[in-house]
Amino acid sequence: MNSLQSQYKSLLTSCARCLLLRRNIMVYESSRKAEYEHKIEQPSLKKILKTGIKSLPKEFKMLGKEIKDHFTPQSWMMEHGDYKYLWKLNNESAINQWVVSTDADMEAGRSKAQLSLSRQKCLLFHGYLNTQVPDDGASKYAGYVNMRSPYNMKSFARLRPYDWSDFTHIVIRCRGDGRPYQLNLQIENYFDILWHDLYAFSLYTRGGPYWQIAKIPFSKFFLTSKGRIQDKQEMIESDRIRNFGISLADGAEGRFELEIDYIGLVYDAFHTNTFFYEMYDGDPFLS
Protein backbone atom coordinates (compact mmCIF):
# COMPACT_ATOMS: atom_id res chain seq x y z
CA MET A 1 0.00 0.00 0.00
CA ASN A 2 2.80 2.34 0.87
CA SER A 3 4.43 1.51 -2.47
CA LEU A 4 1.23 2.43 -4.36
CA GLN A 5 0.94 5.70 -2.46
CA SER A 6 4.53 6.61 -3.22
CA GLN A 7 4.04 5.82 -6.92
CA TYR A 8 0.85 7.88 -6.98
CA LYS A 9 2.62 10.79 -5.31
CA SER A 10 5.49 10.53 -7.78
CA LEU A 11 3.02 10.58 -10.69
CA LEU A 12 1.30 13.70 -9.33
CA THR A 13 4.65 15.41 -8.92
CA SER A 14 5.62 14.63 -12.52
CA CYS A 15 2.28 15.93 -13.81
CA ALA A 16 2.68 19.13 -11.82
CA ARG A 17 6.13 19.69 -13.30
CA CYS A 18 4.81 19.15 -16.81
CA LEU A 19 1.94 21.57 -16.27
CA LEU A 20 4.32 24.18 -14.87
CA LEU A 21 6.64 23.75 -17.85
CA ARG A 22 3.71 24.03 -20.25
CA ARG A 23 2.61 27.21 -18.56
CA ASN A 24 6.05 28.74 -19.07
CA ILE A 25 6.33 27.92 -22.78
CA MET A 26 2.77 28.33 -23.99
CA VAL A 27 1.94 31.02 -26.51
CA TYR A 28 -0.95 32.46 -24.52
CA GLU A 29 -0.09 35.54 -22.44
CA SER A 30 -2.47 36.39 -19.61
CA SER A 31 -0.90 39.82 -19.08
CA ARG A 32 1.24 42.33 -20.97
CA LYS A 33 3.71 42.11 -18.08
CA ALA A 34 4.12 38.37 -18.70
CA GLU A 35 6.06 36.66 -15.93
CA TYR A 36 6.86 39.94 -14.19
CA GLU A 37 3.26 40.71 -13.24
CA HIS A 38 3.58 39.13 -9.79
CA LYS A 39 6.42 41.56 -8.98
CA ILE A 40 4.19 44.62 -9.39
CA GLU A 41 2.63 45.86 -6.17
CA GLN A 42 -1.12 46.18 -6.58
CA PRO A 43 -2.98 49.02 -4.79
CA SER A 44 -5.68 48.19 -2.26
CA LEU A 45 -9.37 48.40 -3.14
CA LYS A 46 -9.78 51.31 -0.73
CA LYS A 47 -7.05 53.29 -2.48
CA ILE A 48 -8.53 52.53 -5.91
CA LEU A 49 -11.97 53.77 -4.87
CA LYS A 50 -10.57 56.88 -3.18
CA THR A 51 -8.46 57.82 -6.21
CA GLY A 52 -11.29 57.05 -8.64
CA ILE A 53 -13.87 59.21 -6.86
CA LYS A 54 -11.39 62.06 -6.54
CA SER A 55 -10.66 62.04 -10.29
CA LEU A 56 -14.32 62.05 -11.46
CA PRO A 57 -14.58 65.84 -12.10
CA LYS A 58 -11.43 65.79 -14.19
CA GLU A 59 -12.58 62.75 -16.17
CA PHE A 60 -15.99 64.26 -16.98
CA LYS A 61 -14.26 67.45 -18.13
CA MET A 62 -12.05 65.38 -20.47
CA LEU A 63 -15.11 63.53 -21.76
CA GLY A 64 -16.85 66.81 -22.58
CA LYS A 65 -13.82 68.00 -24.55
CA GLU A 66 -13.69 64.70 -26.47
CA ILE A 67 -17.36 65.01 -27.46
CA LYS A 68 -16.82 68.60 -28.60
CA ASP A 69 -13.74 67.65 -30.66
CA HIS A 70 -15.61 64.74 -32.22
CA PHE A 71 -18.24 67.03 -33.73
CA THR A 72 -15.75 69.72 -34.76
CA PRO A 73 -14.68 69.26 -38.41
CA GLN A 74 -10.94 68.92 -38.77
CA SER A 75 -9.43 68.69 -42.23
CA TRP A 76 -6.16 70.00 -43.60
CA MET A 77 -3.62 69.18 -46.28
CA MET A 78 -0.11 68.33 -45.16
CA GLU A 79 2.64 70.34 -46.83
CA HIS A 80 6.34 69.65 -47.06
CA GLY A 81 8.07 70.63 -43.85
CA ASP A 82 5.00 70.57 -41.62
CA TYR A 83 6.00 69.50 -38.13
CA LYS A 84 4.54 68.80 -34.71
CA TYR A 85 6.17 68.72 -31.30
CA LEU A 86 5.28 65.58 -29.39
CA TRP A 87 7.17 66.31 -26.19
CA LYS A 88 9.16 69.40 -25.22
CA LEU A 89 11.19 68.08 -22.33
CA ASN A 90 12.25 71.32 -20.68
CA ASN A 91 10.54 71.21 -17.27
CA GLU A 92 9.97 68.86 -14.35
CA SER A 93 6.29 68.38 -15.16
CA ALA A 94 7.05 67.05 -18.66
CA ILE A 95 9.84 64.79 -17.41
CA ASN A 96 7.80 63.24 -14.60
CA GLN A 97 5.34 61.80 -17.11
CA TRP A 98 7.98 59.43 -18.49
CA VAL A 99 8.61 55.99 -17.00
CA VAL A 100 12.08 54.54 -16.39
CA SER A 101 12.76 50.81 -16.13
CA THR A 102 15.91 48.70 -15.76
CA ASP A 103 16.86 45.05 -15.51
CA ALA A 104 17.02 45.54 -11.74
CA ASP A 105 13.26 46.20 -11.70
CA MET A 106 12.75 42.68 -13.04
CA GLU A 107 15.36 41.19 -10.68
CA ALA A 108 17.47 40.33 -13.72
CA GLY A 109 20.39 42.71 -13.21
CA ARG A 110 21.85 45.62 -11.28
CA SER A 111 21.63 48.55 -13.70
CA LYS A 112 20.50 51.98 -12.50
CA ALA A 113 18.80 54.79 -14.40
CA GLN A 114 16.90 57.99 -13.67
CA LEU A 115 15.53 61.12 -15.32
CA SER A 116 16.40 64.62 -14.22
CA LEU A 117 16.56 68.18 -15.52
CA SER A 118 19.96 69.14 -16.90
CA ARG A 119 21.69 72.50 -16.49
CA GLN A 120 20.38 73.43 -19.96
CA LYS A 121 16.80 72.71 -18.78
CA CYS A 122 16.47 69.55 -20.86
CA LEU A 123 15.68 65.94 -20.00
CA LEU A 124 18.75 64.02 -18.86
CA PHE A 125 18.54 60.21 -19.02
CA HIS A 126 21.51 58.95 -17.03
CA GLY A 127 22.72 56.17 -14.78
CA TYR A 128 24.98 53.13 -14.75
CA LEU A 129 24.74 50.11 -17.06
CA ASN A 130 25.76 46.98 -15.16
CA THR A 131 26.41 43.89 -17.29
CA GLN A 132 27.04 41.52 -14.36
CA VAL A 133 24.68 38.55 -14.71
CA PRO A 134 22.87 37.70 -11.45
CA ASP A 135 23.46 34.26 -9.95
CA ASP A 136 19.86 33.11 -10.22
CA GLY A 137 20.40 30.20 -12.59
CA ALA A 138 17.98 31.67 -15.14
CA SER A 139 19.44 34.93 -16.43
CA LYS A 140 21.93 34.74 -19.30
CA TYR A 141 22.40 38.42 -20.03
CA ALA A 142 22.25 41.68 -18.09
CA GLY A 143 22.63 45.37 -18.74
CA TYR A 144 19.39 47.03 -19.83
CA VAL A 145 17.82 50.45 -19.20
CA ASN A 146 14.80 52.07 -20.81
CA MET A 147 12.70 55.22 -20.73
CA ARG A 148 9.12 55.21 -22.02
CA SER A 149 6.73 57.97 -23.02
CA PRO A 150 3.35 58.47 -21.32
CA TYR A 151 0.32 56.80 -22.85
CA ASN A 152 -2.20 58.87 -24.78
CA MET A 153 -5.18 58.49 -22.45
CA LYS A 154 -8.81 59.44 -22.96
CA SER A 155 -11.30 60.03 -20.19
CA PHE A 156 -11.93 57.27 -17.65
CA ALA A 157 -8.53 55.63 -18.25
CA ARG A 158 -9.23 54.59 -21.83
CA LEU A 159 -6.17 54.18 -24.01
CA ARG A 160 -6.12 56.00 -27.34
CA PRO A 161 -3.15 55.08 -29.56
CA TYR A 162 -1.11 57.90 -31.02
CA ASP A 163 -1.94 58.58 -34.67
CA TRP A 164 1.20 59.72 -36.48
CA SER A 165 0.14 58.58 -39.96
CA ASP A 166 0.14 62.15 -41.35
CA PHE A 167 3.90 62.38 -40.86
CA THR A 168 6.84 60.53 -42.40
CA HIS A 169 9.67 61.03 -39.88
CA ILE A 170 10.27 61.17 -36.18
CA VAL A 171 12.71 63.88 -35.09
CA ILE A 172 14.73 64.00 -31.89
CA ARG A 173 17.18 66.70 -30.79
CA CYS A 174 19.65 65.16 -28.41
CA ARG A 175 23.19 65.17 -27.10
CA GLY A 176 24.69 61.81 -26.21
CA ASP A 177 27.80 60.11 -24.93
CA GLY A 178 28.77 58.19 -28.06
CA ARG A 179 26.76 55.09 -27.19
CA PRO A 180 24.24 53.51 -29.61
CA TYR A 181 20.73 53.81 -28.19
CA GLN A 182 17.62 52.19 -29.58
CA LEU A 183 14.37 53.96 -30.44
CA ASN A 184 11.30 51.82 -29.85
CA LEU A 185 7.74 52.14 -31.11
CA GLN A 186 5.23 49.77 -29.56
CA ILE A 187 2.04 49.10 -31.50
CA GLU A 188 -1.37 48.77 -29.85
CA ASN A 189 -2.52 45.22 -30.66
CA TYR A 190 -5.55 43.29 -29.51
CA PHE A 191 -4.29 39.70 -29.63
CA ASP A 192 -1.91 38.59 -26.89
CA ILE A 193 0.56 36.99 -29.27
CA LEU A 194 1.29 40.48 -30.67
CA TRP A 195 1.60 42.32 -27.34
CA HIS A 196 5.40 42.19 -27.41
CA ASP A 197 5.80 43.42 -31.00
CA LEU A 198 8.14 46.39 -31.08
CA TYR A 199 9.46 48.44 -34.00
CA ALA A 200 13.03 49.59 -33.47
CA PHE A 201 15.80 51.64 -35.01
CA SER A 202 19.23 52.65 -33.73
CA LEU A 203 20.13 56.14 -32.57
CA TYR A 204 23.89 56.65 -32.88
CA THR A 205 25.01 59.50 -30.66
CA ARG A 206 28.20 61.41 -31.42
CA GLY A 207 29.41 62.25 -27.96
CA GLY A 208 30.95 65.57 -27.08
CA PRO A 209 29.36 68.95 -26.40
CA TYR A 210 27.42 69.42 -29.65
CA TRP A 211 23.73 68.79 -30.19
CA GLN A 212 22.50 66.57 -33.00
CA ILE A 213 19.13 66.33 -34.72
CA ALA A 214 18.17 62.80 -35.80
CA LYS A 215 15.48 62.56 -38.45
CA ILE A 216 14.38 58.95 -38.88
CA PRO A 217 11.66 57.78 -41.31
CA PHE A 218 9.02 55.40 -40.00
CA SER A 219 9.77 53.19 -43.00
CA LYS A 220 13.17 52.29 -41.50
CA PHE A 221 11.83 50.89 -38.24
CA PHE A 222 12.10 47.08 -38.23
CA LEU A 223 9.91 44.59 -36.39
CA THR A 224 11.14 42.79 -33.25
CA SER A 225 9.47 40.65 -30.61
CA LYS A 226 10.88 40.07 -27.13
CA GLY A 227 14.23 41.42 -28.26
CA ARG A 228 14.52 39.30 -31.42
CA ILE A 229 14.43 40.68 -34.97
CA GLN A 230 11.66 38.90 -36.85
CA ASP A 231 12.33 37.06 -40.11
CA LYS A 232 9.07 38.25 -41.62
CA GLN A 233 9.06 42.02 -41.55
CA GLU A 234 5.90 44.11 -41.80
CA MET A 235 5.37 47.81 -42.39
CA ILE A 236 4.69 49.79 -39.23
CA GLU A 237 1.14 50.99 -38.60
CA SER A 238 1.92 54.54 -37.53
CA ASP A 239 -1.70 55.26 -36.64
CA ARG A 240 -1.66 52.75 -33.77
CA ILE A 241 1.38 53.74 -31.69
CA ARG A 242 1.01 52.69 -28.05
CA ASN A 243 4.15 54.40 -26.78
CA PHE A 244 7.62 55.60 -27.72
CA GLY A 245 10.73 54.54 -25.86
CA ILE A 246 14.52 54.79 -25.80
CA SER A 247 16.61 51.91 -24.48
CA LEU A 248 20.27 51.10 -23.99
CA ALA A 249 21.73 47.59 -23.97
CA ASP A 250 25.03 47.85 -25.85
CA GLY A 251 26.94 45.50 -23.52
CA ALA A 252 29.42 48.16 -22.42
CA GLU A 253 29.41 48.50 -18.64
CA GLY A 254 29.70 52.00 -17.26
CA ARG A 255 27.97 55.33 -16.92
CA PHE A 256 25.69 56.69 -19.63
CA GLU A 257 24.09 60.06 -20.36
CA LEU A 258 21.58 61.09 -22.98
CA GLU A 259 20.23 64.65 -23.00
CA ILE A 260 17.03 65.31 -24.97
CA ASP A 261 15.60 68.70 -25.89
CA TYR A 262 12.48 67.65 -27.80
CA ILE A 263 10.87 64.82 -29.74
CA GLY A 264 8.66 65.62 -32.71
CA LEU A 265 7.27 64.62 -36.09
CA VAL A 266 7.83 66.05 -39.57
CA TYR A 267 6.30 65.51 -42.99
CA ASP A 268 8.71 65.12 -45.89
CA ALA A 269 6.88 65.21 -49.23
CA PHE A 270 9.96 63.88 -51.06
CA HIS A 271 10.12 60.75 -48.95
CA THR A 272 8.11 58.23 -50.95
CA ASN A 273 9.54 54.94 -49.68
CA THR A 274 6.96 53.20 -47.52
CA PHE A 275 9.15 50.31 -46.32
CA PHE A 276 12.92 49.88 -46.61
CA TYR A 277 13.14 46.14 -46.02
CA GLU A 278 12.49 43.87 -48.98
CA MET A 279 10.67 40.61 -48.38
CA TYR A 280 10.49 37.72 -50.82
CA ASP A 281 7.79 35.08 -51.03
CA GLY A 282 9.39 31.64 -51.20
CA ASP A 283 8.52 28.01 -50.75
CA PRO A 284 7.68 27.60 -47.04
CA PHE A 285 9.03 24.03 -47.12
CA LEU A 286 12.41 25.14 -48.43
CA SER A 287 12.94 28.48 -46.67
Side-chain angles (χ1 to χ4, degrees), residues 50-220:
K50 184 178 179 181
T51 305
I53 294 173
K54 187 177 179 180
S55 63
L56 280 178
K58 178 184 175 183
E59 299 299 329
F60 277 113
K61 185 177 180 181
M62 288 178 61
L63 180 61
K65 185 178 182 301
E66 291 166 14
I67 295 173
K68 182 179 178 181
D69 291 343
H70 178 76
F71 290 101
T72 302
Q74 297 179 358
S75 61
W76 61 87
M77 292 293 294
M78 298 293 293
E79 297 182 356
H80 177 71
D82 284 353
Y83 66 91
K84 173 185 178 182
Y85 286 110
L86 292 174
W87 299 284
K88 289 186 177 181
L89 305 169
N90 52 13
N91 57 71
E92 291 284 354
S93 177
I95 292 174
N96 292 336
Q97 296 179 11
W98 289 67
V99 179
V100 174
S101 59
T102 69
D103 51 15
D105 299 331
M106 301 175 286
E107 300 178 3
R110 299 179 177 86
S111 299
K112 298 179 181 179
Q114 62 179 334
L115 299 178
S116 60
L117 203 61
S118 69
R119 289 180 295 178
Q120 285 71 34
K121 301 298 180 181
C122 295
L123 179 147
L124 183 62
F125 180 43
H126 60 106
Y128 188 89
L129 193 72
N130 193 323
T131 57
Q132 183 179 355
V133 180
D135 300 327
D136 56 6
S139 302
K140 296 181 180 179
Y141 310 99
Y144 170 81
V145 294
N146 180 71
M147 56 177 284
R148 174 185 64 75
S149 71
Y151 295 126
N152 188 25
M153 304 301 294
K154 296 193 293 184
S155 58
F156 297 100
R158 293 174 297 155
L159 178 67
R160 174 170 56 192
Y162 292 104
D163 184 356
W164 299 342
S165 56
D166 290 331
F167 301 90
T168 58
H169 294 69
I170 189 167
V171 180
I172 177 171
R173 185 174 187 262
C174 62
R175 180 164 58 177
D177 50 10
R179 287 177 178 261
Y181 293 81
Q182 182 171 284
L183 306 182
N184 304 313
L185 293 173
Q186 187 176 17
I187 306 300
E188 174 62 21
N189 288 309
Y190 178 78
F191 295 104
D192 61 316
I193 196 172
L194 305 174
W195 282 349
H196 301 285
D197 284 4
L198 204 70
Y199 284 84
F201 194 79
S202 296
L203 172 66
Y204 296 99
T205 59
R206 300 171 183 168
Y210 299 107
W211 290 89
Q212 67 182 92
I213 297 179
K215 177 184 173 186
I216 304 169
F218 289 118
S219 55
K220 281 196 173 183

Side-chain angles (χ1 to χ4, degrees), residues 162 187 189 199 234-241:
Y162 292 104
I187 306 300
N189 288 309
Y199 284 84
E234 297 177 0
M235 185 172 60
I236 188 172
E237 298 176 84
S238 56
D239 60 338
R240 293 174 51 235
I241 305 296

Side-chain angles (χ1 to χ4, degrees), residues 9-62:
K9 186 180 290 185
S10 176
L11 179 62
L12 288 177
T13 304
S14 300
C15 290
R17 288 175 179 173
C18 290
L19 288 173
L20 181 62
L21 179 61
R22 179 71 184 96
R23 181 186 175 192
N24 290 336
I25 65 174
M26 64 184 176
V27 173
Y28 169 69
E29 297 277 6
S30 60
S31 169
R32 291 183 183 271
K33 298 296 182 181
E35 64 269 24
Y36 303 109
E37 184 180 19
H38 68 280
K39 300 176 182 178
I40 302 174
E41 184 178 353
Q42 300 296 333
S44 63
L45 179 60
K46 181 179 178 181
K47 185 176 181 180
I48 294 174
L49 291 174
K50 184 178 179 181
T51 305
I53 294 173
K54 187 177 179 180
S55 63
L56 280 178
K58 178 184 175 183
E59 299 299 329
F60 277 113
K61 185 177 180 181
M62 288 178 61

Side-chain angles (χ1 to χ4, degrees), residues 182 198-202 220-224 229 233 275 277:
Q182 182 171 284
L198 204 70
Y199 284 84
F201 194 79
S202 296
K220 281 196 173 183
F221 280 82
F222 51 88
L223 178 61
T224 69
I229 300 176
Q233 291 291 315
F275 196 56
Y277 307 101

